[in-house]
Coordinates of all heavy atoms in Angstrom, one line a residue:
M1 N -2.4 20.8 -28.9 CA -2.6 19.7 -29.9 C -1.9 18.4 -29.4 O -2.5 17.3 -29.4 CB -2.0 20.1 -31.3 CG -2.2 19.0 -32.3 SD -3.9 18.5 -32.6 CE -3.7 17.1 -33.6
M2 N -0.7 18.5 -29.0 CA 0.0 17.3 -28.4 C -0.7 16.8 -27.1 O -0.8 15.7 -26.9 CB 1.5 17.6 -28.2 CG 2.3 17.7 -29.4 SD 2.0 16.4 -30.6 CE 2.8 15.0 -29.8
K3 N -1.2 17.8 -26.4 CA -1.9 17.4 -25.1 C -3.2 16.6 -25.4 O -3.5 15.6 -24.8 CB -2.3 18.7 -24.4 CG -1.5 18.8 -23.1 CD -2.0 20.0 -22.3 CE -0.9 20.4 -21.2 NZ -1.2 21.7 -20.6
L4 N -3.9 17.0 -26.5 CA -5.1 16.3 -26.9 C -4.7 14.9 -27.3 O -5.4 13.9 -27.0 CB -5.8 17.1 -28.0 CG -7.2 16.6 -28.4 CD1 -8.1 16.8 -27.2 CD2 -7.6 17.3 -29.6
L5 N -3.7 14.8 -28.0 CA -3.3 13.5 -28.6 C -2.7 12.6 -27.5 O -3.0 11.4 -27.5 CB -2.2 13.7 -29.7 CG -1.8 12.5 -30.5 CD1 -3.0 11.8 -31.2 CD2 -0.7 12.8 -31.5
M6 N -2.0 13.2 -26.6 CA -1.2 12.3 -25.7 C -1.7 12.3 -24.3 O -1.2 11.5 -23.5 CB 0.3 12.8 -25.7 CG 1.0 12.7 -27.0 SD 2.5 13.6 -27.0 CE 3.3 12.9 -25.6
G7 N -2.6 13.2 -23.9 CA -3.0 13.3 -22.5 C -1.9 14.0 -21.7 O -0.8 14.4 -22.3
T8 N -2.2 14.3 -20.5 CA -1.3 15.0 -19.6 C -0.6 14.1 -18.6 O -1.1 13.0 -18.4 CB -2.0 16.1 -18.8 OG1 -2.9 15.5 -18.0 CG2 -2.7 17.1 -19.8
H9 N 0.4 14.5 -17.9 CA 1.0 13.7 -16.9 C 0.0 13.3 -15.8 O 0.0 12.1 -15.4 CB 2.1 14.4 -16.1 CG 3.3 14.9 -17.0 ND1 4.0 13.9 -17.7 CD2 3.7 16.1 -17.4 CE1 4.9 14.6 -18.4 NE2 4.8 15.9 -18.2
T10 N -0.8 14.2 -15.4 CA -1.8 13.9 -14.4 C -2.8 12.9 -14.9 O -3.1 11.9 -14.1 CB -2.6 15.2 -14.1 OG1 -1.7 16.3 -13.8 CG2 -3.6 15.0 -12.9
E11 N -3.3 13.0 -16.1 CA -4.2 12.0 -16.6 C -3.5 10.6 -16.7 O -4.1 9.6 -16.3 CB -4.6 12.4 -18.0 CG -5.7 13.5 -18.0 CD -6.0 13.9 -19.5 OE1 -5.1 13.8 -20.4 OE2 -7.1 14.5 -19.7
I12 N -2.3 10.6 -17.1 CA -1.6 9.3 -17.3 C -1.5 8.6 -15.9 O -1.8 7.4 -15.8 CB -0.2 9.6 -17.8 CG1 -0.2 10.1 -19.3 CG2 0.7 8.3 -17.7 CD1 -1.1 9.3 -20.2
R13 N -1.1 9.4 -14.9 CA -1.0 8.7 -13.6 C -2.3 8.4 -13.0 O -2.5 7.4 -12.3 CB -0.2 9.7 -12.7 CG 1.3 9.7 -13.2 CD 2.2 10.7 -12.6 NE 3.3 10.9 -13.5 CZ 4.5 11.2 -13.1 NH1 4.8 11.2 -11.9 NH2 5.5 11.3 -14.0
E14 N -3.3 9.2 -13.3 CA -4.7 8.9 -12.8 C -5.2 7.6 -13.4 O -5.9 6.8 -12.7 CB -5.6 10.1 -13.2 CG -7.0 10.0 -12.5 CD -7.8 11.3 -12.9 OE1 -7.1 12.3 -13.2 OE2 -9.0 11.3 -12.9
F15 N -4.9 7.3 -14.7 CA -5.5 6.2 -15.4 C -4.5 5.0 -15.5 O -4.8 4.0 -16.2 CB -5.9 6.6 -16.8 CG -7.1 7.5 -16.8 CD1 -7.0 8.9 -17.1 CD2 -8.4 7.0 -16.4 CE1 -8.1 9.7 -17.0 CE2 -9.5 7.9 -16.4 CZ -9.3 9.2 -16.7
L16 N -3.4 5.1 -14.7 CA -2.4 4.1 -14.8 C -2.9 2.7 -14.5 O -2.6 1.7 -15.2 CB -1.2 4.4 -13.9 CG -0.1 3.4 -13.9 CD1 0.7 3.5 -15.2 CD2 0.9 3.7 -12.7
I17 N -3.7 2.6 -13.4 CA -4.1 1.3 -13.0 C -5.1 0.7 -14.0 O -5.0 -0.5 -14.4 CB -4.8 1.4 -11.6 CG1 -3.8 1.7 -10.5 CG2 -5.5 0.1 -11.3 CD1 -4.3 2.1 -9.2
D18 N -6.0 1.5 -14.5 CA -6.9 1.1 -15.6 C -6.1 0.6 -16.8 O -6.5 -0.3 -17.5 CB -7.9 2.2 -16.0 CG -8.9 2.4 -14.9 OD1 -9.1 1.5 -14.1 OD2 -9.6 3.5 -14.9
Y19 N -5.1 1.4 -17.1 CA -4.3 1.0 -18.3 C -3.6 -0.4 -18.1 O -3.7 -1.2 -19.0 CB -3.2 2.1 -18.5 CG -2.3 1.7 -19.7 CD1 -2.8 1.9 -21.0 CD2 -1.0 1.3 -19.5 CE1 -2.0 1.5 -22.1 CE2 -0.2 0.9 -20.6 CZ -0.7 1.1 -21.9 OH 0.1 0.7 -22.9
V20 N -3.0 -0.5 -17.0 CA -2.3 -1.8 -16.7 C -3.3 -3.0 -16.7 O -3.0 -4.1 -17.1 CB -1.5 -1.7 -15.4 CG1 -1.0 -3.1 -14.9 CG2 -0.4 -0.7 -15.5
E21 N -4.5 -2.7 -16.2 CA -5.5 -3.8 -16.2 C -6.3 -3.8 -17.5 O -7.3 -4.6 -17.6 CB -6.5 -3.5 -15.0 CG -5.7 -3.7 -13.7 CD -6.6 -3.5 -12.5 OE1 -7.8 -3.0 -12.7 OE2 -6.2 -3.7 -11.4
N22 N -5.9 -3.1 -18.5 CA -6.5 -3.1 -19.8 C -8.0 -2.7 -19.7 O -8.8 -3.3 -20.4 CB -6.3 -4.5 -20.5 CG -6.4 -4.4 -22.0 OD1 -6.3 -3.3 -22.6 ND2 -6.7 -5.5 -22.6
A23 N -8.3 -1.8 -18.9 CA -9.7 -1.4 -18.7 C -10.0 0.0 -19.3 O -11.1 0.6 -19.0 CB -10.0 -1.4 -17.2
L24 N -9.2 0.5 -20.1 CA -9.4 1.8 -20.6 C -10.1 1.8 -22.0 O -9.9 0.8 -22.7 CB -8.0 2.5 -20.9 CG -7.3 3.0 -19.7 CD1 -5.9 3.6 -20.1 CD2 -8.1 4.0 -18.9
P25 N -10.9 2.8 -22.3 CA -11.5 2.9 -23.6 C -10.3 3.1 -24.6 O -9.2 3.5 -24.3 CB -12.3 4.2 -23.6 CG -12.4 4.6 -22.1 CD -11.3 3.9 -21.4
A26 N -10.6 2.8 -25.9 CA -9.6 2.8 -26.9 C -8.9 4.1 -27.0 O -7.6 4.1 -27.1 CB -10.2 2.4 -28.3
L27 N -9.6 5.2 -27.0 CA -8.9 6.5 -27.1 C -7.9 6.8 -26.0 O -6.8 7.3 -26.3 CB -10.0 7.6 -27.2 CG -9.4 9.1 -27.2 CD1 -8.7 9.3 -28.5 CD2 -10.6 10.1 -27.2
R28 N -8.3 6.5 -24.8 CA -7.4 6.6 -23.7 C -6.2 5.8 -23.8 O -5.1 6.2 -23.5 CB -8.1 6.2 -22.4 CG -9.1 7.3 -21.8 CD -8.3 8.3 -21.0 NE -9.2 9.3 -20.6 CZ -8.9 10.6 -20.5 NH1 -7.7 11.0 -20.8 NH2 -9.8 11.5 -20.1
K29 N -6.4 4.5 -24.3 CA -5.2 3.7 -24.5 C -4.2 4.3 -25.5 O -3.0 4.2 -25.2 CB -5.7 2.3 -25.0 CG -5.7 1.2 -23.9 CD -5.9 -0.1 -24.5 CE -7.4 -0.5 -24.6 NZ -7.7 -1.8 -24.9
I30 N -4.8 4.8 -26.5 CA -3.9 5.4 -27.5 C -3.2 6.6 -26.9 O -1.9 6.8 -27.1 CB -4.7 5.9 -28.8 CG1 -5.2 4.6 -29.5 CG2 -3.9 6.7 -29.7 CD1 -6.3 4.9 -30.5
Q31 N -3.9 7.5 -26.2 CA -3.3 8.6 -25.5 C -2.1 8.1 -24.6 O -1.1 8.7 -24.5 CB -4.3 9.4 -24.7 CG -5.2 10.2 -25.5 CD -6.2 11.0 -24.6 OE1 -6.5 10.6 -23.5 NE2 -6.5 12.2 -25.0
F32 N -2.5 7.1 -23.9 CA -1.5 6.5 -22.9 C -0.2 6.1 -23.6 O 0.9 6.4 -23.2 CB -2.2 5.3 -22.2 CG -1.9 5.3 -20.7 CD1 -2.9 5.7 -19.9 CD2 -0.7 4.9 -20.2 CE1 -2.7 5.6 -18.5 CE2 -0.5 4.9 -18.9 CZ -1.5 5.2 -18.0
R33 N -0.4 5.3 -24.7 CA 0.8 4.8 -25.4 C 1.6 5.9 -26.0 O 2.8 5.9 -25.9 CB 0.3 3.8 -26.5 CG -0.1 2.5 -25.9 CD -0.5 1.5 -26.9 NE -1.1 0.3 -26.3 CZ -1.8 -0.5 -26.9 NH1 -2.1 -0.4 -28.2 NH2 -2.3 -1.6 -26.2
M34 N 0.9 6.9 -26.6 CA 1.6 8.0 -27.2 C 2.4 8.8 -26.1 O 3.6 9.1 -26.3 CB 0.6 9.0 -27.9 CG -0.1 8.4 -29.1 SD 1.1 8.2 -30.5 CE 1.5 9.9 -30.9
H35 N 1.8 9.0 -25.0 CA 2.4 9.7 -23.9 C 3.6 9.0 -23.4 O 4.7 9.6 -23.2 CB 1.4 10.0 -22.8 CG 1.9 11.0 -21.8 ND1 1.5 12.3 -21.7 CD2 2.9 10.8 -20.8 CE1 2.1 12.9 -20.7 NE2 3.0 12.0 -20.1
L36 N 3.5 7.7 -23.2 CA 4.6 6.9 -22.6 C 5.7 6.8 -23.6 O 6.9 6.8 -23.2 CB 4.1 5.5 -22.3 CG 3.2 5.4 -21.0 CD1 2.5 4.1 -21.0 CD2 4.0 5.7 -19.8
L37 N 5.4 6.8 -24.9 CA 6.5 6.8 -25.9 C 7.4 8.0 -25.8 O 8.5 8.0 -26.1 CB 6.0 6.5 -27.3 CG 5.5 5.1 -27.5 CD1 4.8 5.1 -28.9 CD2 6.6 4.1 -27.5
A38 N 6.7 9.1 -25.5 CA 7.4 10.4 -25.6 C 7.9 10.9 -24.2 O 8.7 11.8 -24.2 CB 6.5 11.5 -26.2
C39 N 7.4 10.4 -23.2 CA 7.6 11.0 -21.8 C 8.4 10.0 -21.0 O 7.9 9.0 -20.5 CB 6.3 11.3 -21.2 SG 6.5 12.0 -19.5
T40 N 9.7 10.3 -20.7 CA 10.5 9.4 -19.9 C 10.0 9.4 -18.5 O 10.1 8.4 -17.8 CB 12.0 9.8 -20.0 OG1 12.1 11.2 -19.7 CG2 12.5 9.5 -21.4
D41 N 9.5 10.5 -18.0 CA 9.0 10.6 -16.6 C 7.9 9.6 -16.4 O 8.0 8.8 -15.4 CB 8.5 12.0 -16.3 CG 9.6 13.0 -16.0 OD1 10.8 12.6 -16.0 OD2 9.3 14.2 -15.9
C42 N 6.9 9.6 -17.2 CA 5.8 8.7 -17.0 C 6.1 7.3 -17.3 O 5.6 6.4 -16.7 CB 4.6 9.2 -17.8 SG 3.8 10.7 -17.2
S43 N 7.0 7.0 -18.3 CA 7.4 5.6 -18.5 C 8.2 5.1 -17.4 O 8.0 3.9 -17.0 CB 8.2 5.5 -19.9 OG 9.3 6.3 -19.8
A44 N 9.0 5.9 -16.7 CA 9.7 5.4 -15.5 C 8.7 5.2 -14.4 O 8.9 4.2 -13.6 CB 10.7 6.5 -15.1
Y45 N 7.7 6.0 -14.3 CA 6.7 5.9 -13.3 C 5.9 4.5 -13.5 O 5.7 3.8 -12.6 CB 5.7 7.1 -13.4 CG 4.6 7.1 -12.4 CD1 4.9 7.8 -11.2 CD2 3.4 6.6 -12.6 CE1 3.9 7.9 -10.2 CE2 2.4 6.7 -11.6 CZ 2.7 7.3 -10.4 OH 1.7 7.4 -9.5
L46 N 5.6 4.2 -14.8 CA 4.9 3.0 -15.1 C 5.8 1.8 -14.7 O 5.3 0.8 -14.1 CB 4.6 2.9 -16.5 CG 3.9 1.6 -17.0 CD1 2.6 1.3 -16.3 CD2 3.7 1.6 -18.5
R47 N 7.1 1.9 -15.0 CA 8.0 0.8 -14.6 C 8.0 0.6 -13.1 O 8.0 -0.6 -12.7 CB 9.4 1.1 -15.2 CG 9.6 0.5 -16.6 CD 11.1 0.5 -16.9 NE 11.6 1.8 -17.1 CZ 11.8 2.4 -18.3 NH1 11.5 1.8 -19.4 NH2 12.3 3.6 -18.4
K48 N 8.1 1.7 -12.4 CA 8.1 1.6 -10.9 C 6.8 0.9 -10.4 O 6.8 0.1 -9.5 CB 8.3 3.0 -10.3 CG 9.7 3.2 -9.8 CD 9.7 4.6 -9.1 CE 10.5 5.6 -9.9 NZ 10.4 7.0 -9.4
Y49 N 5.7 1.4 -11.0 CA 4.4 0.8 -10.6 C 4.4 -0.7 -10.9 O 4.0 -1.4 -10.0 CB 3.3 1.5 -11.4 CG 2.0 0.9 -11.2 CD1 1.2 1.2 -10.1 CD2 1.5 -0.1 -12.1 CE1 0.0 0.6 -9.9 CE2 0.3 -0.7 -11.9 CZ -0.5 -0.4 -10.8 OH -1.7 -1.0 -10.6
N50 N 4.8 -1.1 -12.0 CA 4.8 -2.5 -12.4 C 5.7 -3.3 -11.5 O 5.4 -4.4 -11.1 CB 5.1 -2.7 -13.8 CG 4.8 -4.1 -14.3 OD1 3.6 -4.5 -14.2 ND2 5.8 -4.8 -14.7
T51 N 6.8 -2.7 -11.1 CA 7.8 -3.4 -10.2 C 7.1 -3.7 -8.9 O 7.1 -4.8 -8.3 CB 9.0 -2.6 -10.0 OG1 9.7 -2.4 -11.3 CG2 10.0 -3.3 -9.1
S52 N 6.4 -2.7 -8.4 CA 5.7 -2.9 -7.1 C 4.5 -3.9 -7.3 O 4.2 -4.6 -6.3 CB 5.2 -1.5 -6.6 OG 4.3 -0.9 -7.4
V53 N 3.8 -3.9 -8.4 CA 2.8 -4.9 -8.6 C 3.4 -6.3 -8.6 O 2.9 -7.2 -7.9 CB 2.1 -4.7 -10.0 CG1 1.2 -5.9 -10.4 CG2 1.2 -3.4 -10.0
K54 N 4.5 -6.5 -9.3 CA 5.2 -7.8 -9.3 C 5.6 -8.2 -7.9 O 5.4 -9.4 -7.5 CB 6.4 -7.8 -10.2 CG 6.0 -7.9 -11.6 CD 7.3 -7.9 -12.5 CE 7.0 -8.0 -13.9 NZ 8.1 -7.5 -14.8
L55 N 6.1 -7.3 -7.1 CA 6.5 -7.6 -5.7 C 5.3 -8.0 -4.9 O 5.3 -9.0 -4.2 CB 7.2 -6.4 -5.1 CG 8.6 -6.1 -5.6 CD1 9.2 -4.8 -5.0 CD2 9.6 -7.3 -5.4
S56 N 4.2 -7.2 -5.0 CA 3.0 -7.5 -4.2 C 2.4 -8.8 -4.7 O 1.7 -9.5 -3.8 CB 2.0 -6.4 -4.3 OG 1.5 -6.3 -5.6
Q57 N 2.5 -9.2 -5.9 CA 1.9 -10.5 -6.4 C 2.5 -11.7 -5.6 O 1.8 -12.7 -5.5 CB 2.2 -10.7 -7.9 CG 1.2 -9.9 -8.7 CD 1.5 -9.9 -10.2 OE1 2.6 -10.4 -10.6 NE2 0.6 -9.4 -11.0
N58 N 3.7 -11.5 -5.1 CA 4.3 -12.6 -4.4 C 3.5 -12.9 -3.1 O 3.6 -14.0 -2.5 CB 5.7 -12.3 -4.0 CG 6.6 -12.2 -5.2 OD1 6.4 -12.9 -6.2 ND2 7.7 -11.4 -5.1
Y59 N 2.7 -11.9 -2.7 CA 2.0 -12.1 -1.4 C 0.5 -12.2 -1.5 O -0.2 -12.3 -0.6 CB 2.3 -10.9 -0.5 CG 3.8 -10.7 -0.3 CD1 4.5 -9.7 -1.0 CD2 4.5 -11.5 0.6 CE1 5.9 -9.6 -0.9 CE2 5.9 -11.4 0.7 CZ 6.5 -10.4 0.0 OH 7.9 -10.3 0.2
L60 N 0.0 -12.2 -2.8 CA -1.4 -12.2 -3.0 C -1.9 -13.6 -3.3 O -1.3 -14.3 -4.0 CB -1.8 -11.2 -4.1 CG -1.7 -9.7 -3.9 CD1 -1.9 -9.0 -5.2 CD2 -2.6 -9.3 -2.8
Q61 N -3.1 -13.9 -2.8 CA -3.7 -15.2 -3.1 C -4.3 -15.1 -4.5 O -4.2 -16.1 -5.3 CB -4.9 -15.4 -2.2 CG -4.5 -15.5 -0.7 CD -4.0 -16.9 -0.3 OE1 -4.2 -17.9 -1.1 NE2 -3.4 -17.1 0.8
D62 N -4.8 -14.0 -4.9 CA -5.5 -13.9 -6.2 C -4.9 -12.7 -7.0 O -5.4 -11.6 -7.0 CB -7.0 -13.6 -5.9 CG -7.8 -13.6 -7.2 OD1 -7.3 -14.2 -8.2 OD2 -8.9 -13.0 -7.2
P63 N -3.8 -12.9 -7.6 CA -3.0 -11.9 -8.3 C -3.7 -11.4 -9.5 O -4.5 -12.1 -10.1 CB -1.7 -12.5 -8.6 CG -2.0 -13.9 -8.7 CD -3.1 -14.2 -7.8
P64 N -3.4 -10.1 -9.9 CA -3.9 -9.7 -11.2 C -3.3 -10.5 -12.4 O -2.4 -11.2 -12.2 CB -3.4 -8.2 -11.3 CG -2.4 -8.1 -10.2 CD -2.6 -9.2 -9.2
P65 N -3.9 -10.4 -13.6 CA -3.4 -11.2 -14.7 C -2.0 -10.8 -15.1 O -1.8 -9.9 -15.9 CB -4.4 -10.9 -15.8 CG -5.0 -9.6 -15.5 CD -5.0 -9.5 -14.0
E66 N -1.0 -11.5 -14.5 CA 0.4 -11.1 -14.7 C 0.8 -11.2 -16.2 O 1.6 -10.4 -16.7 CB 1.2 -12.0 -13.8 CG 2.7 -11.6 -13.9 CD 3.6 -12.5 -13.0 OE1 3.1 -13.5 -12.5 OE2 4.7 -12.1 -12.8
E67 N 0.3 -12.2 -16.8 CA 0.7 -12.4 -18.2 C 0.3 -11.2 -19.1 O 1.1 -10.8 -19.9 CB 0.0 -13.7 -18.8 CG 0.7 -14.2 -20.0 CD 0.1 -15.5 -20.5 OE1 -0.6 -16.1 -19.7 OE2 0.4 -15.9 -21.6
L68 N -0.9 -10.7 -18.8 CA -1.4 -9.5 -19.6 C -0.5 -8.3 -19.3 O -0.1 -7.6 -20.2 CB -2.8 -9.2 -19.2 CG -3.4 -8.0 -19.9 CD1 -3.5 -8.2 -21.4 CD2 -4.8 -7.7 -19.3
V69 N -0.2 -8.1 -18.0 CA 0.6 -7.0 -17.6 C 2.0 -7.1 -18.3 O 2.5 -6.1 -18.9 CB 0.8 -6.9 -16.1 CG1 1.8 -5.9 -15.7 CG2 -0.6 -6.6 -15.5
N70 N 2.5 -8.3 -18.3 CA 3.9 -8.5 -18.8 C 3.9 -8.3 -20.3 O 4.8 -7.7 -20.9 CB 4.4 -9.9 -18.5 CG 4.8 -10.0 -17.1 OD1 5.0 -9.0 -16.4 ND2 4.9 -11.2 -16.6
L71 N 2.9 -8.7 -21.0 CA 2.8 -8.6 -22.5 C 2.7 -7.1 -22.8 O 3.4 -6.6 -23.7 CB 1.6 -9.3 -23.0 CG 1.7 -10.8 -23.2 CD1 0.4 -11.4 -23.6 CD2 2.8 -11.1 -24.2
T72 N 1.9 -6.4 -22.1 CA 1.7 -4.9 -22.3 C 3.1 -4.2 -22.1 O 3.5 -3.4 -22.9 CB 0.7 -4.3 -21.3 OG1 -0.5 -5.1 -21.5 CG2 0.4 -2.9 -21.6
L73 N 3.7 -4.6 -21.0 CA 5.0 -3.9 -20.7 C 6.1 -4.3 -21.7 O 6.9 -3.4 -22.0 CB 5.4 -4.3 -19.3 CG 4.6 -3.5 -18.2 CD1 4.8 -4.1 -16.9 CD2 5.1 -2.0 -18.2
K74 N 6.1 -5.5 -22.1 CA 7.1 -5.9 -23.1 C 6.9 -5.1 -24.3 O 7.9 -4.6 -24.9 CB 6.9 -7.4 -23.4 CG 8.0 -8.0 -24.2 CD 7.9 -9.5 -24.1 CE 8.9 -10.2 -25.1 NZ 8.6 -10.1 -26.5
F75 N 5.7 -4.9 -24.8 CA 5.4 -4.1 -25.9 C 5.9 -2.7 -25.7 O 6.6 -2.1 -26.6 CB 3.9 -4.1 -26.2 CG 3.4 -3.1 -27.2 CD1 3.6 -3.4 -28.6 CD2 2.9 -1.9 -26.8 CE1 3.2 -2.4 -29.5 CE2 2.5 -1.0 -27.8 CZ 2.7 -1.2 -29.1
L76 N 5.5 -2.1 -24.6 CA 5.9 -0.7 -24.3 C 7.4 -0.6 -24.3 O 8.0 0.4 -24.8 CB 5.3 -0.3 -23.0 CG 3.8 0.0 -23.1 CD1 3.2 0.3 -21.7 CD2 3.5 1.2 -24.0
E77 N 8.1 -1.5 -23.6 CA 9.5 -1.4 -23.5 C 10.2 -1.5 -24.8 O 11.2 -0.8 -25.1 CB 10.1 -2.4 -22.5 CG 9.9 -2.0 -21.0 CD 10.1 -3.1 -20.0 OE1 10.7 -4.1 -20.4 OE2 9.8 -2.8 -18.8
E78 N 9.7 -2.4 -25.6 CA 10.3 -2.5 -27.0 C 10.2 -1.2 -27.8 O 11.1 -0.8 -28.4 CB 9.7 -3.7 -27.7 CG 10.2 -5.0 -27.2 CD 9.4 -6.2 -27.8 OE1 8.5 -6.0 -28.5 OE2 9.8 -7.3 -27.4
R79 N 8.9 -0.7 -27.6 CA 8.7 0.6 -28.4 C 9.5 1.7 -27.8 O 10.0 2.5 -28.5 CB 7.2 0.9 -28.3 CG 6.3 0.0 -29.1 CD 6.6 -0.1 -30.5 NE 6.6 1.2 -31.2 CZ 5.6 1.7 -31.8 NH1 4.5 1.0 -32.0 NH2 5.7 2.9 -32.3
M80 N 9.7 1.7 -26.5 CA 10.4 2.8 -25.9 C 11.9 2.7 -26.2 O 12.6 3.7 -26.5 CB 10.2 2.8 -24.4 CG 8.9 3.5 -24.0 SD 8.8 3.7 -22.2 CE 8.3 2.1 -21.7
A81 N 12.4 1.4 -26.2 CA 13.8 1.2 -26.6 C 14.1 1.7 -28.0 O 15.1 2.3 -28.3 CB 14.2 -0.2 -26.4
A82 N 13.1 1.4 -28.9 CA 13.3 1.8 -30.3 C 13.2 3.3 -30.4 O 14.0 3.9 -31.1 CB 12.1 1.2 -31.1
K83 N 12.3 3.9 -29.6 CA 12.2 5.3 -29.6 C 13.4 6.0 -29.1 O 13.9 7.1 -29.6 CB 11.0 5.7 -28.7 CG 10.6 7.2 -28.8 CD 9.7 7.4 -29.9 CE 9.3 8.8 -30.0 NZ 8.5 9.1 -31.3
E84 N 14.0 5.5 -28.0 CA 15.2 6.1 -27.4 C 16.4 6.1 -28.4 O 17.3 6.9 -28.3 CB 15.6 5.4 -26.1 CG 14.7 5.8 -25.0 CD 14.7 4.9 -23.8 OE1 15.6 4.0 -23.8 OE2 13.9 5.0 -22.9
R85 N 16.4 5.1 -29.3 CA 17.5 5.1 -30.3 C 17.4 6.2 -31.3 O 18.3 6.5 -32.0 CB 17.5 3.7 -31.0 CG 18.1 2.6 -30.1 CD 18.5 1.4 -30.9 NE 17.3 0.7 -31.4 CZ 16.6 -0.2 -30.7 NH1 17.0 -0.6 -29.5 NH2 15.5 -0.8 -31.2
E86 N 16.2 6.8 -31.5 CA 16.0 7.9 -32.4 C 16.2 9.2 -31.7 O 16.1 9.2 -30.4 CB 14.6 7.8 -33.0 CG 14.2 6.5 -33.7 CD 12.7 6.5 -33.9 OE1 12.0 7.4 -33.7 OE2 12.3 5.4 -34.3
A87 N 16.3 10.2 -32.4 CA 16.2 11.6 -31.8 C 14.7 11.8 -31.5 O 13.9 11.5 -32.4 CB 16.8 12.6 -32.7
D88 N 14.4 12.3 -30.3 CA 13.0 12.4 -30.0 C 12.4 13.7 -30.6 O 12.8 14.8 -30.3 CB 12.9 12.5 -28.5 CG 11.4 12.6 -28.0 OD1 10.5 12.6 -28.9 OD2 11.2 12.5 -26.8
P89 N 11.5 13.5 -31.6 CA 11.0 14.7 -32.3 C 9.9 15.4 -31.5 O 9.5 16.5 -31.9 CB 10.4 14.1 -33.6 CG 10.0 12.7 -33.2 CD 11.0 12.3 -32.1
Y90 N 9.4 14.8 -30.4 CA 8.2 15.4 -29.7 C 8.7 15.8 -28.3 O 9.2 15.0 -27.5 CB 7.1 14.4 -29.6 CG 6.6 13.8 -30.9 CD1 6.8 12.5 -31.2 CD2 6.0 14.6 -31.8 CE1 6.4 12.0 -32.4 CE2 5.6 14.1 -33.0 CZ 5.8 12.8 -33.3 OH 5.3 12.3 -34.5
P91 N 8.4 17.1 -28.0 CA 8.7 17.6 -26.7 C 7.6 16.9 -25.7 O 6.5 16.6 -26.2 CB 8.5 19.1 -26.7 CG 7.6 19.3 -27.9 CD 7.9 18.2 -28.9
C92 N 7.9 16.8 -24.5 CA 7.1 16.0 -23.6 C 5.8 16.7 -23.3 O 4.7 16.1 -23.3 CB 7.8 15.8 -22.3 SG 6.8 15.0 -21.0
H93 N 5.7 18.0 -23.1 CA 4.5 18.6 -22.6 C 3.6 19.1 -23.8 O 3.6 20.2 -24.0 CB 4.8 19.7 -21.6 CG 5.7 19.1 -20.5 ND1 5.3 18.3 -19.6 CD2 7.0 19.2 -20.4 CE1 6.3 18.0 -18.8 NE2 7.4 18.5 -19.3
Ligands
ZN101 ZN1 4.4 12.4 -18.7

């Protein structure tokens, strides 16, 4: 049940780029957000990914929409920070 709602680690990492580029269907986006809120592994993975995107943007002529990526991450980080202050009621897997 939680897998259906949240997706799996593999799915999250497979669809990470689409998520960051806001190219996912609505259901996938919801799965992604639910998973990231509950899974510290994948949220750390996303942060690492975004850090590398930011670094690479320094060298690109035509960078991805940084503002969109930043807004998405800001939202997620705020939600994750709020989540971390609570006891986590959902196991990761
Ligand atoms: Zn995960």
Side-chain angles (χ1 to χ4, degrees):
M1 182 57 191
M2 289 311 287
K3 250 185 197 169
L4 188 65
L5 185 61
M6 294 168 54
T8 64
H9 298 299
T10 308
E11 285 175 334
I12 293 312
R13 289 168 201 218
E14 191 175 336
F15 291 107
L16 180 68
I17 292 169
D18 286 342
Y19 178 75
V20 170
E21 292 178 354
N22 203 20
L24 288 178
L27 176 62
R28 282 276 177 217
K29 256 190 270 190
I30 292 165
Q31 284 184 327
F32 224 104
R33 284 181 190 162
M34 292 293 292
H35 190 106
L36 287 168
L37 287 173
C39 180
T40 51
D41 283 354
C42 287
S43 59
Y45 186 87
L46 175 64
R47 270 195 289 262
K48 259 186 250 170
Y49 172 83
N50 192 58
T51 300
S52 60
V53 168
K54 279 182 185 161
L55 289 175
S56 69
Q57 280 173 350
N58 294 332
Y59 305 101
L60 289 175
Q61 299 275 346
D62 185 20
E66 184 178 12
E67 195 175 349
L68 176 65
V69 173
N70 286 342
L71 282 173
T72 305
L73 283 166
K74 188 167 177 288
F75 169 80
L76 286 171
E77 278 170 12
E78 283 168 2
R79 292 303 303 262
M80 280 188 280
K83 190 83 181 172
E84 280 162 11
R85 285 193 292 271
E86 304 166 6
D88 185 355
Y90 303 114
C92 175
H93 307 285

